[in-house]
Amino acid sequence: MGAGAYLIWGMFPAFFGLLDFAGPVEILAERVLWTLVVVVIALCAVGRFRELFTIDARTWRLAAVAAAAIALNWGTYVYGVNSGHVVECALGYFINPLVTVLFGVVLFRERLRWSQWVALGLGAGAVVVITVDYGRPPVIALVLACSFATYGLVKKVIRLDPMRSVAAEGVVSAPFALVVMIVLGLRGEAQFGHGGGHTALLIASGPVTLIPLLLFAFAAGRVPLSTMGILQYLTPALQLAWGVLVGHEPMPASRWIGFALIWAALAIFTTEALRRTRRPARTTVPDPPDDQGDTATPSDCAARNLGAGTP
């Protein structure tokens, strides 16, 4: 199930490429709305819908922050895929673990080990190399990495299980998504309802989004986090392969050098994370349950999860 989640996320360029008949804003709005519909149906099916009414005000505020971060992430990803920047999207998810560690240094004044500083240095060097190669900063990659790192930080402290968390984020985002759809409809620019195939694909964005989330949540509770963290590299690897082999995006030698620096940084980071997870049991502290939050620092979260995330 863990591999299945990351394989589905890795194939997202194939699915969202099919939605290029609609604009990124409409795709984002439809994805928000139909993901909410599917997760509400799932909560009703298991008799947990009423649990949404027990969420306190602080948790709703955190859900709003998470919703804003993931909306920015989703919108940027869809734009990247449908504008022919799949490789840059893959870069964003490769550097996401390093951004999480950087957040820990900047926001929480964490002290890093020398190997983590080396990894961050290699990551910064890679961004410089790729900036020179593109002739501009890799904005799509940086937005994806930073927005998902922010989302990950919020998910570590929010006192909700995965299904209720996704539902809460959808409830917060739905009014904005509805406004977008109404405005697009009034302007005659909405693609929803214009042809059965197009409508079905837009509706499918809901279950396509939710299914890998549920697979990941199920696997994460039963598979060592170090294993899940290594599996997560399947996603950007598949996206990179799609961009190069299917999208025929250019990959000059200088760009390969930038990616090689990122991979070297991730190898150092992953080795350090695995070393930490193999410490004797007496030096480790178990994670709290999902509904109790998590006080772990960003670099601890990244070390445990190795940047596991969703596009």
Side-chain angles (χ1 to χ4, degrees):
M1 289 188 173
Y6 288 119
L7 286 170
I8 292 173
W9 285 325
M11 294 305 297
F12 267 14
F15 175 76
F16 286 104
L18 297 175
L19 303 182
D20 60 357
F21 57 85
V25 175
E26 181 180 2
I27 295 172
L28 174 60
E30 295 281 2
R31 188 178 182 184
V32 167
L33 291 173
W34 291 110
T35 299
L36 176 60
V37 169
V38 175
V39 75
V40 166
I41 291 173
L43 286 171
C44 291
V46 296
R48 298 182 56 197
F49 178 73
R50 292 186 178 181
E51 294 180 13
L52 290 178
F53 298 99
T54 65
I55 299 175
D56 58 74
R58 174 184 177 275
T59 302
W60 278 114
R61 288 193 293 270
L62 288 172
V65 176
I70 201 62
L72 177 60
N73 185 273
W74 286 358
T76 303
Y77 183 81
V78 170
Y79 169 78
V81 168
N82 289 344
S83 62
H85 293 90
V86 176
V87 169
E88 193 172 345
C89 290
L91 174 65
Y93 290 108
F94 273 126
I95 68 176
N96 176 63
L98 304 177
V99 173
T100 299
V101 175
L102 182 62
F103 276 13
V105 174
V106 175
L107 301 179
F108 297 91
R109 300 184 182 279
E110 294 183 32
R111 299 178 64 181
L112 301 182
R113 295 169 179 80
W114 68 269
S115 59
Q116 292 175 308
W117 280 116
V118 171
L120 287 178
L122 288 172
V127 172
V128 171
V129 169
I130 292 173
T131 296
V132 173
D133 173 71
Y134 277 119
R136 60 171 177 81
V139 176
I140 292 174
L142 293 174
V143 171
L144 287 174
C146 292
S147 60
F148 199 80
T150 302
Y151 182 70
L153 292 181
V154 177
K155 296 289 276 188
K156 277 296 177 182
V157 299
I158 197 167
R159 299 174 181 270
L160 292 174
D161 60 87
M163 283 188 65
R164 282 197 302 161
S165 180
V166 172
E169 293 158 21
V171 169
V172 171
S173 302
F176 300 97
L178 283 172
V179 169
V180 167
M181 293 309 303
I182 291 171
V183 171
L184 290 176
L186 292 175
R187 295 172 60 178
E189 298 176 2
Q191 296 300 313
F192 184 81
H194 290 186
H198 287 181
T199 300
L201 282 171
L202 289 170
I203 293 174
S205 65
V208 165
T209 297
L210 187 61
I211 288 172
L213 284 175
L214 296 181
L215 289 174
F216 173 81
F218 184 90
R222 294 161 177 80
V223 177
L225 286 176
S226 57
T227 302
M228 292 296 291
I230 293 173
L231 282 175
Q232 76 96 17
Y233 294 129
L234 282 171
T235 294
L238 285 171
Q239 292 175 359
L240 175 62
W242 183 274
V244 174
L245 301 177
V246 180
H248 303 293
E249 296 182 29
M251 282 294 290
S254 56
R255 200 165 301 173
W256 281 116
I257 292 172
F259 271 85
L261 289 173
I262 289 290
W263 294 330
L266 291 176
I268 294 171
F269 181 68
T270 302
T271 301
E272 172 65 18
L274 291 175
R275 186 185 67 81
R276 294 179 64 187
T277 60
R278 290 172 182 172
R279 286 177 177 175
R282 60 184 176 84
T283 64
T284 61
V285 178
D287 292 332
D290 284 338
D291 61 352
Q292 297 299 315
D294 190 344
T295 57
T297 57
S299 62
D300 288 335
C301 297
R304 289 203 308 258
N305 298 302
L306 302 181
T310 65

